[in-house]
Amino acid sequence: MDGTEKAEDLVPIGDVAARFGMAVSALRYWDECGLVAPAERRGGRRWYGPDELHRIALVRIWQGTGLMSLEEIAAVLAGGGEGRDWRATVQGRVRAVEAQIDRLNEAKAYLEHLLTCPSDHPADRCPRLRAATRRWTGEHASRAASGAARNKAGRTRVRVT
């Protein structure tokens, strides 16, 4: 305890796990990883105060979005200083989210087109889908060719699947 929590404010690990709908082992793992340490240990049990409950809630929220790994969450929780730059971690995640939004918008456009396509067999007969696959195969063929050229030059190996 840092002096601000009272013993009656502390919650045992089992109650914390139940409150957040998670396994006790997850809280132990988070403690080992440095994400959330208990405020106190009594009789071999971990006890959590309001500050730790706040951190646990943040981890659950950020983890629940599926957009931040535990390592990234730990970087944000650690804050700045000593060569740590949590903002760079968040900026990287923002870029990843933007890229995912772009992919999802593209997927939505394809799905909406399929719903409005006049062809009964759009995968076989839709001119828009044919044009899209020609663009896609052309882009991938040029990437494979440039990868092979770099590979021959001994710089970068590109695996084409």
Side-chain angles (χ1 to χ4, degrees):
M1 278 191 312
D2 67 4
T4 59
E5 293 115 353
K6 299 176 188 157
E8 61 267 13
D9 291 337
L10 297 178
V11 182
I13 190 170
D15 293 354
V16 172
R19 181 182 295 185
F20 287 99
M22 56 192 298
V24 169
S25 60
L27 287 169
R28 289 186 188 116
Y29 178 72
W30 290 3
D31 184 11
E32 291 170 20
C33 293
L35 282 170
V36 181
E40 184 177 303
R41 291 177 189 258
R42 275 191 252 147
R45 291 183 68 192
R46 293 168 170 92
W47 293 76
Y48 297 86
D51 289 341
E52 293 77 28
L53 297 177
H54 169 72
R55 286 175 70 97
I56 292 167
L58 285 175
V59 174
R60 294 292 285 173
I61 290 166
W62 294 338
Q63 191 180 41
T65 64
L67 297 176
M68 285 176 60
S69 68
L70 287 179
E71 183 179 335
E72 292 164 331
I73 291 170
V76 175
L77 290 175
E82 297 180 29
R84 294 185 307 254
D85 185 8
W86 63 268
R87 284 182 177 86
T89 298
V90 173
Q91 288 168 343
R93 293 313 307 156
V94 168
R95 285 190 298 275
V97 168
E98 288 169 345
Q100 185 174 13
I101 289 169
D102 291 344
R103 288 189 305 274
L104 289 171
N105 283 330
E106 185 177 8
K108 181 181 178 213
Y110 277 115
L111 293 171
E112 288 173 340
H113 172 73
L114 287 172
L115 290 173
T116 60
C117 185
S119 174
D120 286 337
H121 300 283
D124 294 335
R125 298 188 187 127
C126 176
R128 180 175 171 184
L129 294 179
R130 288 283 177 177
T133 58
R134 278 193 299 276
R135 275 192 315 276
W136 189 86
T137 54
E139 290 170 5
H140 281 67
S142 78
R143 283 187 200 148
S146 72
R150 280 195 305 270
N151 196 15
K152 282 185 179 179
R155 284 186 242 134
T156 306
R157 297 196 84 146
V158 175
R159 182 179 266 166
V160 180
T161 56

